[in-house]
Amino acid sequence: MTKNTQRLSQLISTFGPGAMIDLPTRSVVVGGLEQWDMAGNDAFTIIAEPRLTTRLEQILRGQNRLSAAGRLTLRTPPTSADDASGVPRGITAPVFPTWFVCEQVETTASGGNASRRRRLVRWKDLETTGRRRFAFDDGRKSDVIPIRFVAACQKGHLQDIEWRWVVHGGAACQEPLWVEEKGTSADPADTSIVCGCGRRLSLQDTFQAGRLGMCRGERPWLLDRDPDGCSLNLKLLTRTATNTYFPQVYTVISLPTEEDELTRLVDELAGDLSTVQTVADVSQAKRFNHKISASLGPFQDADIFERLQRIRNGASTDASRSPKLSEFDAFASGRAEIGNNDPTAKLYAQTLPREAWADASAGIDLAAITNVVAVHRLREVSCLYGFTRFDAAPTSADGDIEDVQLTVHGASISQSADWLPAIEQFGEGIFVHFDDAAIRQWLQRPVAESRHQKLLTGYGHWQTRFSGNAPHYPGTPYVLLHSISHALMTEIALDCGYPSSSLKERVYALPSSPGGEVDRCGILIYTASVGAQGTLGGLVASTQRLARILASALNRLRICSNDPICADHEPDDRSGDRATHGAACHGCLLIAETSCEMRNLFLDRSLLVPTMSGEGAAYFG
């Protein structure tokens, strides 16, 4: 892998359209979908996931971004395979920012204090051939690095800071600019932009509201400006900071289609059949697509189209409700086998008999667990539909899209594309089905009700930061199951050998109808990777030791290395995201944010086991 290459999964997460990437000699911003090299049928693969596609089509039509007859497709990012011209396929990434700092340092002394300064130059001032360098008036040449600071707004717009304007307040001046640093810290107060005319600006002052000016709605990843404009003040943004880019990704677990052989084949080829709208289109697809003719050649065109319509209609029905409801119903069906035991199957799982996992010698009451399902094979499809800056958009506990538009706070990933980037990943997992009646009974206990009110109050403080756009409180059953999931993920990583960062979760604490009581309770812990045809079976094998794993996980949570501070933490209005937590910290329940579906929010180990706080709300008391 070269330094300028990204993995497919990175292009729909960390480094999607609008994200900034450091290269050896410059920084770039990943281009929007119109700048992805998708020419030719071999440049990408269409991913068939009707439930996901249909849901996104409904949303886009509601936002007037897709016509009533328009069809949306999910496509993989372009690969690096060379085309006929020998030029690798890829994504155009414009240079950003266009301000650079020379590596050559000059030392000055003023008032007995030494400071270092480096020349601040524009991209257009650099040499145009070879390695881009800046040539001083005396003939010296210096390598350059992109400046660390850019400007952005809450709508996701991004632009260079107009340093001359900011330093001089609008007055014209063409003297050289310098970045001056004092000491060895990265404190903004120790860094200044200095002009040859004597004017200077401390970076500390750039945090003042309006100091960087008004946003112009610039979108360098789309090479345009927002047609709706922007009236927000610009804010200072460190381009390498973690708050520069928060992807909005919609993820579903593929469900099996358990019908006849023709339905299975059509389901596998649904991506190649995405443009088929009539029986005549089926004939054309057979004629021009070798893969379709090889698999579906013996079948009648009308039968193929009928199966395709049936699959699409089923997806339309599913798209009207949370994706997690359909997933839970499949995993918690109680069937001995879920899906087909076939290498090409999207999902294959087995509901295990109780004696296979309920080890009485583990010393833990397992009455709250209804079933354990060994998921031998699953397929996860993830699709990027937007991003935010400064703050991540709130996540909905039911797995649906909370901000129902391609533009999240104004940050669009394309101008008018009729497709979205997606990847499919294969892996394995464990599904644990909990008794919802037992959880409701536990919530009726006075101590559990008291803890519920504290968590609800903390959520009330936290949601004010979103100006009314925060999702609904996921419910204390969700906090309970989410905490169990994190405890199990940490312990399973120690038991089965997978690194904890490779595990993921989906927490199911769902009502059958909006506003109703939670009657679907379960957690799915799984691992998946791009391009793999499954994994090594370590998670499935751990189902036989689940009782001991759970007992060990709960035992670890009784004492945290940060106790008593962790145990005594209460949700309040002074702790930011910590307002959604009870007793939870990096020493006990918090895990890698790439593994958590809720960005490490809504956790409380005091709901699981007794802690030093002694409240007595523990479910496994």
Side-chain angles (χ1 to χ4, degrees):
M1 180 179 291
T2 67
K3 292 182 178 179
N4 297 351
T5 301
Q6 302 296 333
R7 293 191 298 271
L8 295 184
S9 58
Q10 290 178 308
L11 287 171
I12 66 151
S13 56
T14 315
F15 300 117
M20 289 173 282
I21 300 178
D22 259 332
L23 299 181
T25 60
R26 68 200 68 176
S27 172
V28 297
V29 60
V30 179
L33 301 186
E34 287 80 8
Q35 299 176 64
W36 292 32
D37 185 1
M38 308 294 275
N41 293 329
D42 61 340
F44 60 89
T45 301
I46 293 179
I47 295 179
E49 185 50 58
R51 285 196 304 139
L52 178 56
T53 305
T54 304
R55 179 65 178 133
L56 288 168
E57 285 178 347
Q58 291 178 349
I59 293 166
L60 293 180
R61 292 190 181 108
Q63 296 294 322
N64 295 321
R65 290 178 174 270
L66 191 67
S67 65
R71 303 287 298 180
L72 180 71
T73 59
L74 305 181
R75 303 180 183 179
T76 60
T79 65
S80 60
D82 292 350
D83 60 16
S85 66
V87 179
R89 296 189 184 277
I91 297 171
T92 301
V95 173
F96 184 86
T98 59
W99 283 97
F100 289 76
V101 180
C102 291
E103 292 187 355
Q104 196 166 103
V105 179
E106 296 183 7
T107 303
T108 61
S110 177
N113 296 322
S115 62
R116 305 173 307 280
R117 69 175 192 172
R118 295 177 292 167
R119 185 73 177 269
L120 184 62
V121 297
R122 298 295 296 263
W123 173 256
K124 63 182 180 181
D125 299 327
L126 305 181
E127 294 179 330
T128 57
T129 59
R131 184 182 178 93
R132 296 283 185 132
R133 296 180 177 180
F134 178 73
F136 289 88
D137 293 339
D138 59 6
R140 291 176 298 143
K141 294 184 178 181
S142 174
D143 291 329
V144 296
I145 57 174
I147 194 167
R148 291 189 297 127
F149 306 103
V150 296
C153 76
Q154 290 292 149
K155 290 184 178 180
H157 301 139
L158 185 69
Q159 68 183 66
D160 275 303
I161 297 175
E162 294 298 332
W163 292 110
R164 292 193 180 278
W165 181 89
V166 174
V167 171
H168 296 91
C173 180
Q174 298 302 317
E175 292 294 320
L177 292 176
W178 305 80
V179 176
E180 187 177 277
E181 298 167 321
K182 300 177 181 178
T184 57
S185 72
D187 191 336
D190 292 337
T191 304
S192 300
I193 306 298
V194 181
C195 182
C197 70
R199 293 278 193 115
R200 67 171 49 237
L201 170 73
S202 170
L203 285 185
Q204 185 71 36
D205 297 334
T206 60
F207 289 100
Q208 299 173 7
R211 189 66 178 82
L212 298 179
M214 298 288 291
C215 177
R216 299 193 297 264
E218 292 190 10
R219 304 185 296 186
W221 65 96
L222 298 180
L223 304 178
D224 71 355
R225 290 188 178 182
D226 193 331
D228 297 328
C230 186
S231 59
L232 299 180
N233 284 326
L234 289 169
K235 298 171 65 176
L236 187 72
L237 185 66
T238 303
R239 62 177 177 81
T240 54
T242 57
N243 66 343
T244 60
Y245 193 81
F246 294 99
Q248 284 284 95
V249 180
Y250 194 17
T251 299
V252 299
I253 302 297
S254 298
L255 300 180
T257 303
E258 298 184 22
E259 296 191 37
D260 57 17
E261 177 68 11
L262 176 57
T263 301
R264 186 182 64 80
L265 292 173
V266 171
D267 190 36
E268 290 177 3
L269 294 169
D272 297 276
L273 296 168
S274 60
T275 59
V276 170
Q277 300 298 321
T278 64
V279 175
D281 290 342
V282 176
S283 177
Q284 293 296 312
K286 282 184 177 180
R287 180 179 178 184
F288 295 106
N289 190 312
H290 174 72
K291 183 167 39 172
I292 292 176
S293 62
S295 298
L296 302 178
F299 300 97
Q300 297 295 319
D301 294 351
D303 292 339
I304 295 171
F305 185 70
E306 188 270 334
R307 298 301 196 283
L308 184 62
Q309 288 292 87
R310 188 186 306 173
I311 292 171
R312 289 174 177 173
N313 291 337
S316 300
T317 302
D318 283 340
S320 64
R321 63 179 192 164
S322 162
K324 281 189 173 180
L325 284 171
S326 301
E327 295 167 16
F328 178 90
D329 289 346
F331 287 124
S333 64
R335 297 196 300 269
E337 291 194 345
I338 303 167
N340 299 312
N341 187 9
D342 185 274
T344 62
K346 296 178 180 178
L347 179 69
Y348 176 64
Q350 291 179 310
T351 303
L352 302 178
R354 195 170 188 85
E355 57 270 17
W357 54 268
D359 186 353
S361 64
I364 182 174
D365 184 4
L366 299 173
I369 298 179
T370 303
N371 279 318
V372 172
V373 179
V375 185
H376 297 276
R377 179 178 173 83
L378 60 79
R379 174 183 183 247
E380 174 198 67
V381 178
S382 300
C383 171
L384 176 70
Y385 64 92
F387 68 91
T388 63
R389 302 197 196 276
F390 295 106
D391 291 299
T395 304
S396 173
D398 65 2
D400 206 356
I401 295 178
E402 188 65 28
D403 194 336
V404 287
Q405 51 185 354
L406 270 183
T407 300
V408 183
H409 294 175
S412 176
I413 62 173
S414 72
Q415 293 173 330
S416 58
D418 60 355
W419 60 275
L420 291 174
I423 57 169
E424 58 179 356
Q425 302 186 97
F426 295 91
E428 58 168 323
I430 302 172
F431 176 77
V432 184
H433 181 193
F434 287 85
D435 185 352
D436 58 280
I439 292 178
R440 286 197 300 272
Q441 185 178 1
W442 163 74
L443 276 174
Q444 294 172 2
R445 293 164 49 188
V447 287
E449 172 63 23
S450 174
R451 193 64 179 174
H452 162 74
Q453 291 300 328
K454 289 181 178 180
L455 291 168
L456 190 59
T457 300
Y459 169 78
H461 295 311
W462 174 78
Q463 70 172 347
T464 58
R465 64 189 292 189
F466 295 104
S467 304
N469 293 323
H472 298 295
Y473 178 59
T476 302
Y478 181 93
V479 181
L480 171 71
L481 294 175
H482 194 202
S483 302
I484 294 174
S485 177
H486 279 215
L488 279 175
M489 290 171 76
T490 301
E491 196 67 26
I492 285 174
L494 297 174
D495 178 83
C496 74
Y498 284 118
S500 58
S501 59
S502 71
L503 301 180
K504 302 178 184 179
E505 67 177 355
R506 284 179 80 79
V507 180
Y508 305 89
L510 308 167
S512 296
S513 58
E517 284 192 337
V518 171
D519 57 5
R520 287 174 165 86
C521 295
I523 56 176
L524 172 67
I525 297 173
Y526 66 102
T527 183
S529 58
V530 177
Q533 296 301 308
T535 45
L536 300 178
L539 273 179
V540 170
S542 65
T543 55
Q544 300 177 4
R545 303 183 297 276
L546 182 64
R548 292 188 176 278
I549 291 173
L550 179 59
S552 179
L554 295 175
N555 204 38
R556 288 179 187 272
L557 295 181
R558 294 180 186 273
I559 299 293
C560 173
S561 59
N562 290 321
D563 278 342
I565 296 174
C566 176
D568 291 339
H569 173 75
E570 298 287 353
D572 54 42
D573 59 349
R574 300 184 301 276
S575 52
D577 284 348
R578 289 279 289 161
T580 66
H581 291 324
C585 71
H586 286 284
C588 51
L589 280 184
L590 272 61
I591 61 175
E593 287 200 359
T594 52
S595 298
C596 177
E597 70 171 15
M598 193 61 80
R599 296 188 303 106
N600 275 329
L601 303 179
F602 304 108
L603 296 164
D604 187 2
R605 65 186 170 95
S606 66
L607 297 181
L608 305 184
V609 294
T611 65
M612 289 183 177
S613 65
E615 287 198 4
Y619 187 83
F620 297 96

